[in-house]
């Protein structure tokens, strides 16, 4: 076991992937000499050369579109999008090409492209630097969407994403890049838990609290706080948003009968909507209360000084728990 | 719309500004720079180019007919662009890779795609007609310009693989306005990718004349991206062959990308769903008929003393056979089984797709036997 | 009253908007001389000139981006996207600019841009010509998303969308362009029902069936078929997907206790997910069954010969009704 | 990285290929074509340009200091680019409209934006600092290149309004690789929009040298879009003023867009979050210090017999005052009320936002008085 930050765990995972398969190439803006604005690719160009770790011209459509061509040629491109809010110029290439090429070619062309996206807020950044665009991709058939939340997962999941023959949108909770954790660098990938499986990060009986990315830690904190209050939260780190690991969620919800879903992205059409709807379909008879969503507001990401009024935090999650338990909460007395 | 809008590239007024080896009357024009690139093209080779063009024109006509008869959902005719497509595709080596739009019937055909593969997409039985790896032709692209980036990426890979093969990207005049095409120029130039950008300026993007996309000759777009840009008579198969060979050779040498603007004309509608009489006049079409790529080559062959009557007869027979084959393949296509709708969404097993598939299978079963042979070809 | 096709009703609505306000400009590919590939703008360039009905170069980002600039200059641009599947190259300008500029500028810059999108399948088209991308936009704060389903609504709603000071994604069910209906061309806009309000198109008591666009007709057919079977469906045409008119939906659902939502778009993160989740939140105690979604599969749009196996149709909607009623259905005997 | 990658535009080796009216030593170089455009610029006017540049450099330094002291979240320094920004913005008429990126402090300042407006974004109290209509400067753009299309659209509107005002779009060398910028060229050219594309080639896009974006001088990108492309010494305020005036005049005349490449240098980090020592060396910076835009103008003024010591003193005082004002404005900014997070999402009433706002208000009320003055400025 080594103690690594989440960022460094990604760096080591990428390094393993580059070493394991010489068709793996890393591409992105400033990822070479600089090692990326978050230094996730630090040292990799020096080690693997300029044709494996490639500084690209400033164009996201260009990055994704050339990655598609490289996939045609049998490469496994790993593209870094510098910040969440800069993925949209590449949206057409992702949605119309990356997601559809395997289907369109009737399986003849594999598209093992990994698109890494540092995402989410809470870092006091300027506009376009704190977005949570994951729902767009989870709604796009043909893509897999995964999110890591801790160093150990980051290390394994990035390698699994790269090894996957499907295109993977790989979301990294940027505000947790510097948080440390134990990583077993020697562990074999073959034995690792598949990236499509969710993890129960804190067991509990009263409420199932589902989230992903940076909010996993907040949810764990909420479980501790709730426990002091006599409420037992089962916290589940989704890890995969497409497909979602429903068996794990169902098993929990059938026990607790109460579901809270938290994410930073807005509520309307967020990932929480799908999970609430799907779990209501699957577990209706077990539900004691309507699933509760604790999300960012449906607003453009606000200026930094207001972000604490946008992002779900410990208190807002606990308020959601109160709501699902029918205890006094922010909606008490309001017609639901 | 004024004349200058319609013809901003100045083709009608400045024919001398492009590469031409065979003029409209079929006369060979000598060109010190480009002749060497086709020095090997003797009368027999010219005859084969003629044959190619006649066959694809015939296939194209059959496609239109099949559509008119309700056998195909749509057809995007290439008529008029045979020289541009055949001249360029015949310059390729087997291990080069072509990325096309929807209109490059001739490219797919020349790369050996079977008749069936040429019609599946338009009949709606599948979204692609062949295995790209087998023919080294990508799945045709409908999103305008997107394939320019794919060709560039592929070419970057060629370079990193130390291959001396090249990629070629086919797109239209309209496509030059899309960001993707310009970004492809940026990437190709930066990475000195062995890619040839082959723009068929057929004067129209549906109803929009090329002058709306550009007030400058499209070949000149290359300069600002540090590439050579060559303007060629796209109705002169020999000239197209020459410039494409030159550009490919440059790519193989490691000198990077080039842009070719093949000045040609779409003689038919944009697709069978289009009505060009709403936006262009007969006189324009008539003027372009004078520049027909096939007639011109036949005149050249005649000038070279070839028995053109025999060639015509023989070629027409071959073309009819190809057309009959196309028709038979088209009519022989069977509708895919219902559950194949779920095939290949992912390369790896996917719990969500599996579940939806299972649900839909049960749903079909409600209707009894109808659903019996609805299983797809596997995951 | 005049009998008009849906397409012609849009044409007349656009004509009114052009005549009413000389800051209204139409922009798009092939919309001028040709009148658009669906002829929705037929005759308008001839009537209003080349600076009011503008054929643009072939670039969707260019179209939307220049519309933003025109909004800065006080114009009200109406952009036609030729087919649903071609909107993605303009996605960045829509999501990062159009949706956010009013917020970003603290209300100083209005963005009264209407983006018209012929959408949906069922026309036997090639790839990228049958998509239902509405959920991407409904998830984007700052945008309004509306869908017309009949000539009368089309005529009014397009004028309302253009008159709105907010950016509006205006979806047109292309397979119903040729369907005729009565339109009151003389009616005043001021008296018209706001585009944000849903319409109960068929009253009923047993099941609330919610949909939009081309499926509204299918849903009405389903109501007729169900009635023969003794089941009374209340069909609601959503009209607005963002915001959703929840009061109308709630009133119905509180009576019926059973909700079916149908759309052509895929299920995962589709508009139906949000509506199911929101209505479960708002009406949990009234629900007799989990909301049922009848949607396109989560697959890239399939080739034409398979589209009838992708799109919800009468039978699939009726199967959904059976499911929500707990009658024999495609999932009978399957663990939900 | 080889030298040719880093300096593909050839600046260091071919200074003669750009417009320069004042050389690095402060000597006036005469130029028959461009002198007339600045014939009115006498010593007093030069003094005012000097003053502008000194003030914005000082403001910029204050911004960096405020960030280092934790008062601002981020700051993107303009140091080194004063001549490019001041020379161009001072060429504008009041009714022209500027669309900038995040780095054009000097443009906003010169258009009269108050101190507060220059820092709000970076302090994080609002995403914009001024009313665009009041100053005819759009909200600064972070999405690279997007504003080039906005400027083009605005200019199309100017043309349709028969106005003789113009738009100017500021963007960097890196931005030329984005599709949006190239599409802006297409639209501007097609519609003969009165827009000036002003590219500050400051040699770097964060860590990427301009040679990665283009192997060709960026000004040459214009040719393929049927625009004039002018390369100017971006550290020579007089030359920048001249070429921008020329381009604006062309726009006003109805002759359409132009591209200006102002060759300059970002002397500081990309932003205060950046560490340029990771990707560029001191020698490069030192070489560019020799071309400092302010020192050069001072030398010219001295040569013209101006009392430069007095000018320097007086200007330094004005600059210090401006900096103090900036600091005071920054420290005086109050955090916006919590519920203002919901303001202006839509221009019209919106039921969904209203509901979320109401819910959040109730939520805040759970915490008692804290939430009291949390109301926003209205809908
Ligand atoms: C991104 C995108 N926008 C719009 C369309 C609709 N469309 C299909 S073909 C076409 C014109 C293309 O013109 P050009 O590039 O000249 O090729 P040609 O059809 O003439 O071969 C358009 C606008 C599309 N397929 N993709
Ligand atoms: C679409 C997009 N992609 C990436 C970024 C991240 N980014 C911010 S500034 C920058 C470099 C810009 O370089 P250049 O255009 O030369 O302008 P400069 O910063 O040098 O003024 C990058 C990559 C962004 N803001 N927007
Ligand atoms: Mg064309
Ligand atoms: Mg730069």
């Amino acid at each position: 076991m080594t103690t690594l930050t989440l960022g460094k765990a990604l760096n080591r995972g990428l390094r393993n992937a580059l070493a394991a398969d010489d068709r793996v190439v890393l591409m992105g803006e400033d990822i070479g000499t600089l090692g990326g604005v978050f230094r996730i690719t630090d040292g990799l160009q020096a080690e693997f050369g300029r044709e494996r770790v490639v500084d690209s011209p400033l164009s996201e459509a260009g990055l994704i579109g050339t990655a598609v061509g490289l996939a045609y040629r049998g490469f496994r491109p790993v593209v870094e999008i510098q910040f969440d809010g800069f993925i949209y110029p590449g949206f057409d290439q992702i949605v119309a090409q990356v997601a559809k090429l395997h289907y369109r070619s009737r399986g003849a062309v594999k598209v093992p492209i990994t698109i890494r996206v540092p995402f989410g807020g809470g870092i006091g950044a300027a506009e376009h630097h704190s977005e949570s665009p994951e729902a767009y991709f989870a709604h796009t058939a043909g893509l897999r969407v995964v999110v890591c939340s801790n160093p150990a997962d980051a290390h394994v999941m990035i390698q699994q994403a790269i090894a996957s023959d499907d295109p993977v949108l790989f979301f990294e909770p940027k505000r947790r890049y510097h948080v440390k954790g134990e990583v077993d660098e020697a562990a074999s990938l073959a034995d690792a838990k598949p990236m499509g499986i969710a993890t129960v990060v804190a067991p509990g009986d009263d409420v199932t609290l589902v989230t992903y990315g940076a909010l996993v830690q907040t949810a764990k904190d909420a479980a501790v706080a709730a426990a002091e209050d006599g409420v037992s939260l089962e916290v589940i780190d989704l890890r995969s948003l497409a497909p979602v690991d429903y068996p794990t969620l169902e098993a929990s919800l059938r026990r607790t009968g109460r579901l809270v879903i938290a994410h930073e992205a807005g509520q309307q059409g967020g990932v929480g909507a799908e999970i609430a709807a799907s779990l209501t379909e699957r577990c209706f008879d077990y539900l004691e209360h309507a699933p509760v969503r604790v999300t960012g507001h449906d607003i453009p990401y606000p200026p930094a000084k207001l972000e604490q009024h946008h992002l779900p935090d410990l208190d807002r999650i606990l308020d959601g728990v109160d709501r699902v338990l029918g205890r006094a909460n922010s909606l008490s007395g309001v017609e639901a | 719309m004024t004349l200058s809008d319609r013809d901003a590239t100045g083709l009608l007024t400045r024919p001398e500004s492009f590469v031409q080896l065979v003029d409209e009357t079929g006369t060979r024009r000598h060109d010190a720079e480009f002749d060497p690139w086709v020095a090997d093209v003797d009368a027999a080779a010219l005859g084969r180019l003629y044959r190619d063009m006649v066959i694809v024109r015939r296939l194209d006509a059959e496609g239109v007919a099949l559509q008119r008869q309700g056998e195909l959902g749509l057809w995007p005719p290439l008529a008029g662009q045979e020289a541009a497509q055949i001249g360029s595709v015949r310059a390729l080596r087997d291990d080069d890779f072509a990325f096309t739009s929807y209109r490059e019937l001739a490219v797919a055909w020349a790369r050996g795609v079977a008749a069936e593969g040429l019609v599946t997409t338009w009949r709606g039985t599948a979204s692609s007609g062949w295995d790209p790896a087998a023919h080294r032709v990508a799945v045709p692209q409908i999103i305008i310009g997107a394939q320019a980036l794919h060709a560039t990426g592929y070419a970057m890979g060629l370079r990193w693989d130390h291959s001396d093969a090249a990629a070629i990207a086919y797109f239209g005049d309209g496509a030059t306005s899309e960001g993707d095409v310009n970004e492809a120029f940026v990437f190709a130039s930066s990475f000195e990718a062995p890619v040839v950008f082959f723009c068929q300026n057929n004067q129209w993007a549906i109803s929009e004349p090329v002058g709306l996309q550009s007030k400058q000759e499209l070949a000149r777009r290359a300069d600002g991206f540090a590439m050579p840009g060559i303007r060629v008579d796209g109705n002169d198969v020999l000239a197209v062959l020459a410039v494409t060979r030159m550009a490919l050779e440059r790519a193989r040498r490691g000198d990077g990308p080039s842009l070719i603007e093949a000045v040609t004309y779409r003689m038919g509608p944009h697709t069978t769903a289009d009505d060009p009489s709403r936006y262009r006049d007969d006189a324009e079409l008539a003027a372009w008929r004078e520049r027909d790529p096939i007639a011109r080559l036949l005149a050249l062959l005649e000038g070279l003393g070839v028995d053109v009557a025999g060639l015509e007869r023989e070629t027409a027979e071959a073309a009819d056979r190809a057309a009959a084959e196309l028709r038979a393949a088209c009519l022989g296509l069977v509708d895919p089984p219902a559950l194949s709708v779920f095939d290949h969404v992912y390369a790896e097993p996917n719990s969500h797709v599996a579940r939806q598939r299972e649900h839909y299978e049960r749903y079909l079963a409600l209707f009894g036997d109808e659903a019996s042979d609805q299983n797809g070809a596997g995951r």
Side-chain angles (χ1 to χ4, degrees), chain B residues 81 101-103 142-144 171-175 178 200 202 204-206 266 270:
Chain B
Q81 303 179 215
S101 87
Y102 40 83
R103 205 183 295 287
I142 287 180
I143 300 295
I144 300 299
F171 51 83
D173 44 301
E178 287 281 8
Q200 289 171 79
N202 65 4
W204 293 92
I206 311 186
R266 153 164 74 71
H270 170 67

Side-chain angles (χ1 to χ4, degrees), chain A residues 29-30 58 60 82 86 89:
Chain A
E29 297 157 9
D30 304 292
L58 210 176
E60 290 73 19
Q82 200 163 81
F86 310 147

Side-chain angles (χ1 to χ4, degrees), chain A residues 142-155:
Chain A
L143 301 178
R144 296 195 55 167
V145 182
V146 304
V147 191
C148 60
S149 71
N150 61 65
D153 276 6
H155 185 257

Side-chain angles (χ1 to χ4, degrees), chain A residues 23 27 51 54-57 59 61-63 65-66 68-70 72-73 75 92-93 96-97 102-110 141-144 164-166 243 282, chain B residues 97 99 126-129 131-132 138-139 141 143 146 149-150 152-154 156-158 160-161 163 180 183 186-187 190-191 341 343-348 350-352 355:
Chain A
R23 302 311 273 174
M27 306 165 66
E51 295 184 352
V54 184
D55 271 327
S56 88
S59 147
L63 264 169
T66 53
V68 170
L70 284 161
Y72 260 107
R73 177 86 200 149
F75 284 84
D92 175 59
Q93 285 284 347
Q97 309 296 333
H102 188 261
Y103 190 77
R104 169 187 299 153
S105 69
R106 299 194 274 179
V109 185
K110 289 208 171 40
L143 301 178
R144 296 195 55 167
S164 169
D165 275 345
D166 288 317
R282 291 166 183 245
Chain B
F97 207 110
F99 292 80
S127 9
S128 73
D131 176 358
V139 181
Q141 184 61 243
I143 300 295
L149 279 168
H150 306 165
T152 301
Y154 187 93
M156 287 159 59
L158 284 172
W160 297 338
D161 284 344
S163 163
D180 279 13
E183 295 181 353
V186 170
F187 277 69
S190 257
F191 294 108
V341 82
D343 292 348
H344 308 302
V345 180
Y346 294 91
E348 300 185 350
N350 188 285
S351 56
H352 183 69
R355 183 179 159 102

Side-chain angles (χ1 to χ4, degrees), chain B residues 176-180 182-183 186 189-192 211-217 220-221 223-226:
Chain B
T176 61
S177 295
E178 287 281 8
D180 279 13
N182 293 281
E183 295 181 353
V186 170
S189 174
S190 257
F191 294 108
E192 294 174 315
L212 181 61
Q213 317 290 341
S214 181
K215 306 260 175 226
Q216 170 65 290
E217 294 179 357
R220 295 282 59 78
R221 185 73 63 87
D223 309 352
F225 297 88

Side-chain angles (χ1 to χ4, degrees), chain A residues 28 50 220 279-280 284 313:
Chain A
R50 290 180 61 183
K220 284 160 78 177
L279 285 174
T280 301
F284 186 68
D313 58 10

Side-chain angles (χ1 to χ4, degrees), chain B residues 227-247:
Chain B
M227 291 187 286
I230 311 163
R231 197 153 187 266
V232 64
D233 182 344
N235 285 4
D236 171 0
V237 70
L238 197 63
V240 173
L241 183 68
V243 301
T244 312
R245 282 177 169 182
M246 189 178 83

